[in-house]
Amino acid sequence: MAEIQSLARGLKMMELIALAEGGMGITELAEQIGVDKSTASRLMGTLATYGFAEQDATTRRYRLGPKVVTLSRYLLTRMPLREQAKPFLHRLVDRTGEGAHLAILAQGGALYIDQVESPATLRATTGVGTIAPLHCTALGKALMTFGNLPQPQQMKAFTARTIVDADTLRVHLEQTRRQGYAVDDEEYEYGVRCVAVPVYDYRGKVVGAIGVSGPAGRMSLERVPEIARIVMEVGKDLSDRLSFR
Amino acid sequence: MAEIQSLARGLKMMELIALAEGGMGITELAEQIGVDKSTASRLMGTLATYGFAEQDATTRRYRLGPKVVTLSRYLLTRMPLREQAKPFLHRLVDRTGEGAHLAILAQGGALYIDQVESPATLRATTGVGTIAPLHCTALGKALMTFGNLPQPQQMKAFTARTIVDADTLRVHLEQTRRQGYAVDDEEYEYGVRCVAVPVYDYRGKVVGAIGVSGPAGRMSLERVPEIARIVMEVGKDLSDRLSFR
DNA sequence: CCGATTGTTGGGAATTATACAACTACCTGT
DNA sequence: ACAGGTAGTTGTATAATTCCCAACAATCGG
């Protein structure tokens, strides 16, 4: 009785319809959750009346409702870190010409909570709300290394460069720690390189990470150290800013 | 029995903690919903286990969890309109130097589903997920006028310029229809002007609106017609793009 | 036009959520 | 330091709510 069944089922349904391309039907939902059609129908009806889901007028299939978008905004706008970091993201874009991102640790991954896009036509953008793995993204590595987190047990390979061996990663992170910044060299997505550093709050605790990412063509390996210098500098400024108050 | 009680209560709680600055305590939540502390505690516990809420480690108060952000992203990335409109938003920013926004009709208001920020230091930005009133924003007026929606019954005043009289608004919208674009002249926020046009899908139905907004200093009333020409042109291009398929 | 599949409503049974209570942890003021 | 108070988390029995079964409506495909 620790968990309220019908609420849990409703939440599971939200996750299911979120992932399903083009919405989901009641029957399929009922099967996935393991309940009767009628139960699923009523649960979805409740979600719909509160705006968390909506039913397509023609296909009768359910998809997520606008309420989740508004709630997400409430959450994001109430994050002090996000507010404080915004100008520094802009500074990163101005100085590097690449897209800048801010992430925090959530759900065992790096949750992107803000971004400023590159003005270039060809740009690497990871949408706000993405949860990226820790072991193969610059932001994730920064969070993991400087936040002293244990390495993930499972390390999925996304590209041929993804580090999947625990020992290799350990060595890699030791170097990351020494140099003070993390790099993702096409380990998560082909053709995209990232550089990131941790962000500390007033008590020296890692509260997030910021970094830039761009197409490998512009973000050449020779240019990475230069980018890293900028990211470290801006990251330090942001952490300094967070020291006050 | 049309509405599942415990699910509804859980959803209401999410809305409550979303709005509360600095989170909410169980006791207050229980009062607001009208249930016992124990019930509220268990409901919140369920929300927390699924990531829809989280409990502050020190204050024990509850706030929204990261799951809503990820769900929001799923919803947004699966919107064809958003994907199609993105390059046109960039084009608007390139050609006007002001911030560009994309909105759809949701929950009786204009729901901002994407934005591209202005490169200028002083910029007007309305975050993705905002639901703005229809009667005093350019995007809202565009949706309302060209989507042939009835005027809202209640028209709240946000600034001294906000149109609150139904007849005045009707005349204003008639002009909007004639000129083909909608303007918000500091009617929602002081110092911010917006220009917007509707977006049509392949069957000629209004599916959203795009526009630019900027500080009144740069977006002078003399410049509005010029901006409007650009917005109308880009809006037309986007609608043309949506005509195919 | 008919069969089939999908989504929505009724109603009885029983699981489940609820309120009450006791308990623990924390904070605050003296 | 201590006591009083407040806030949050467990037990537990009751009874209300939700669940499954079934029938029904509606849409789709052949």
Side-chain angles (χ1 to χ4, degrees):
Chain A
M1 182 187 162
E3 190 172 278
I4 272 105
Q5 194 182 56
S6 41
L7 177 54
R9 284 174 171 170
L11 300 179
K12 283 181 198 160
M13 288 181 139
M14 286 180 66
E15 296 186 355
L16 284 173
I17 60 174
L19 292 168
E21 192 84 35
M24 266 179 100
I26 280 291
T27 308
E28 194 185 348
L29 269 164
E31 282 170 9
Q32 295 275 344
I33 304 284
V35 295
D36 193 77
K37 287 193 305 178
S38 61
T39 303
S41 176
R42 279 184 252 259
L43 287 167
M44 285 308 300
T46 306
L47 287 173
T49 55
Y50 287 90
F52 287 82
E54 60 185 14
Q55 191 172 29
D56 190 291
T58 58
T59 66
R60 311 230 110 196
R61 295 167 76 81
Y62 284 95
R63 54 169 180 262
L64 277 183
K67 186 54 75 59
V68 295
V69 183
T70 68
L71 289 186
S72 168
R73 177 174 169 269
Y74 283 127
L75 171 57
L76 291 174
T77 54
R78 284 185 205 299
M79 282 186 168
L81 170 62
R82 191 178 130 110
E83 206 178 337
Q84 303 268 6
K86 193 74 171 178
F88 295 89
L89 292 179
H90 278 289
R91 199 184 297 176
L92 281 177
V93 174
D94 289 345
R95 293 184 59 182
T96 66
E98 305 298 341
H101 296 275
L102 169 68
I104 60 171
L105 186 73
Q107 317 242 49
L111 172 63
Y112 288 63
I113 60 170
D114 207 0
Q115 69 173 80
V116 172
E117 289 183 285
S118 157
T121 313
L122 178 66
R123 54 182 162 255
T125 295
T126 308
V128 171
T130 304
I131 293 192
L134 295 178
H135 70 284
C136 58
T137 59
L139 289 163
K141 289 177 189 172
L143 289 171
M144 188 167 34
T145 306
F146 301 97
N148 298 308
L149 300 176
Q151 291 188 19
Q153 298 86 324
Q154 301 235 47
M155 292 189 288
K156 192 184 160 195
F158 291 88
T159 75
R161 302 186 97 96
T162 309
I163 300 174
V164 291
D165 179 62
D167 287 332
T168 311
L169 184 65
R170 190 170 39 72
V171 173
H172 178 82
L173 295 185
E174 279 165 10
Q175 193 199 331
T176 298
R177 183 183 294 277
R178 275 197 304 275
Q179 67 194 10
Y181 63 90
V183 176
D184 155 20
D185 179 18
E186 305 190 60
E187 296 160 42
Y188 184 45
E189 205 179 330
Y190 283 114
V192 176
R193 290 208 182 90
C194 305
V195 177
V197 298
V199 177
Y200 300 93
D201 70 357
Y202 65 96
R203 64 196 336 172
K205 191 170 163 256
V206 172
V207 290
I210 59 170
V212 298
S213 59
R218 282 200 307 266
M219 290 264 289
S220 65
L221 288 177
E222 297 83 53
R223 203 178 154 219
V224 161
E226 179 202 331
I227 300 270
R229 228 175 305 127
I230 297 171
V231 176
M232 282 195 286
E233 189 186 321
V234 174
K236 172 126 196 339
D237 289 348
L238 172 55
S239 292
D240 286 348
R241 178 87 164 71
L242 296 174
S243 300
F244 302 111
R245 144 197 296 212
Chain B
M1 185 190 161
E3 195 171 90
I4 272 112
Q5 191 182 59
S6 42
L7 176 55
R9 284 174 171 168
L11 300 179
K12 283 181 200 160
M13 287 180 140
M14 286 180 66
E15 296 186 354
L16 284 173
I17 59 175
L19 292 167
E21 192 84 36
M24 267 180 98
I26 280 291
T27 308
E28 194 183 350
L29 269 164
E31 281 171 8
Q32 295 275 345
I33 304 282
V35 295
D36 193 77
K37 287 194 304 176
S38 61
T39 303
S41 175
R42 278 184 252 260
L43 286 167
M44 286 307 301
T46 306
L47 286 173
T49 55
Y50 286 90
F52 286 81
E54 59 184 16
Q55 190 172 31
D56 191 291
T58 57
T59 66
R60 310 231 109 196
R61 295 166 76 83
Y62 283 94
R63 55 169 179 262
L64 276 183
K67 185 55 74 61
V68 296
V69 183
T70 68
L71 288 186
S72 169
R73 175 175 170 269
Y74 283 127
L75 171 57
L76 292 174
T77 54
R78 286 194 201 299
M79 281 186 169
L81 171 61
R82 188 178 194 253
E83 206 178 337
Q84 302 269 8
K86 193 75 173 180
F88 296 88
L89 292 179
H90 278 289
R91 198 183 298 175
L92 281 177
V93 174
D94 288 345
R95 293 183 60 181
T96 66
E98 306 298 341
H101 297 276
L102 169 69
I104 59 171
L105 186 72
Q107 317 242 50
L111 172 63
Y112 288 63
I113 61 170
D114 207 1
Q115 69 171 81
V116 172
E117 289 183 286
S118 159
T121 313
L122 177 65
R123 55 183 161 255
T125 295
T126 309
V128 171
T130 305
I131 293 192
L134 295 179
H135 70 284
C136 58
T137 60
L139 289 163
K141 288 177 190 173
L143 289 171
M144 187 166 34
T145 306
F146 301 97
N148 297 309
L149 300 176
Q151 292 187 21
Q153 298 87 323
Q154 300 235 50
M155 294 190 288
K156 192 185 161 196
F158 291 88
T159 74
R161 302 186 97 97
T162 308
I163 301 174
V164 291
D165 178 61
D167 287 332
T168 312
L169 183 65
R170 189 171 40 73
V171 173
H172 178 80
L173 294 186
E174 279 165 12
Q175 193 199 330
T176 298
R177 183 184 293 277
R178 275 197 304 276
Q179 66 193 9
Y181 63 89
V183 175
D184 155 20
D185 179 18
E186 304 191 59
E187 297 159 42
Y188 184 45
E189 205 179 330
Y190 283 114
V192 176
R193 291 207 182 92
C194 304
V195 177
V197 297
V199 177
Y200 299 93
D201 71 357
Y202 66 96
R203 62 196 337 171
K205 191 172 162 253
V206 172
V207 290
I210 59 170
V212 298
S213 59
R218 283 202 305 267
M219 290 263 288
S220 64
L221 287 178
E222 296 83 51
R223 202 178 155 220
V224 161
E226 178 203 330
I227 299 268
R229 229 175 305 127
I230 298 172
V231 175
M232 282 195 285
E233 189 187 320
V234 174
K236 173 123 195 338
D237 289 347
L238 172 54
S239 292
D240 286 348
R241 179 89 164 73
L242 296 174
S243 300
F244 303 110
R245 139 191 309 209

